[in-house]
Amino acid sequence: METLKVGTLILDNNKIGVITKIITSGTLNTDSEIIKWRNNYEVYYYDGSFSIIGESTLHKLIKRGEVKIL
């Protein structure tokens, strides 16, 4: 599994996004247990929206070709 870095550009559902933060397991202050025990990527998109995507989910989407690294 490729390690993505802050600044990596992605194409996700025809939207260009940039990884702005890598949130390592246990470091995000949240009440959601699922976010606490996995690594997550914070992605901001050109339209002003953002998403927090689990590492394994993002890698699966890349492998399927649904998300592309630019």
Side-chain angles (χ1 to χ4, degrees), residues 4 34 42 47 52 55:
L4 301 174
I34 195 166
E42 182 179 79
D47 64 359
I52 295 177
E55 182 177 47

Side-chain angles (χ1 to χ4, degrees), residues 17-70:
V18 62
I19 296 175
T20 56
K21 188 183 296 182
I22 299 169
I23 305 164
T24 56
S25 176
T27 60
L28 185 63
N29 186 13
T30 180
D31 291 332
S32 175
E33 289 300 319
I34 195 166
I35 292 175
K36 288 182 181 179
W37 56 262
R38 67 180 188 182
N39 291 333
N40 297 280
Y41 292 101
E42 182 179 79
V43 179
Y44 275 84
Y45 297 95
Y46 75 94
D47 64 359
S49 62
F50 78 97
S51 183
I52 295 177
I53 305 172
E55 182 177 47
S56 62
T57 299
L58 184 56
H59 284 285
K60 286 177 191 174
L61 292 170
I62 291 168
K63 188 175 181 178
R64 285 191 224 158
E66 295 178 36
V67 171
K68 293 182 175 35
I69 298 174
L70 301 178

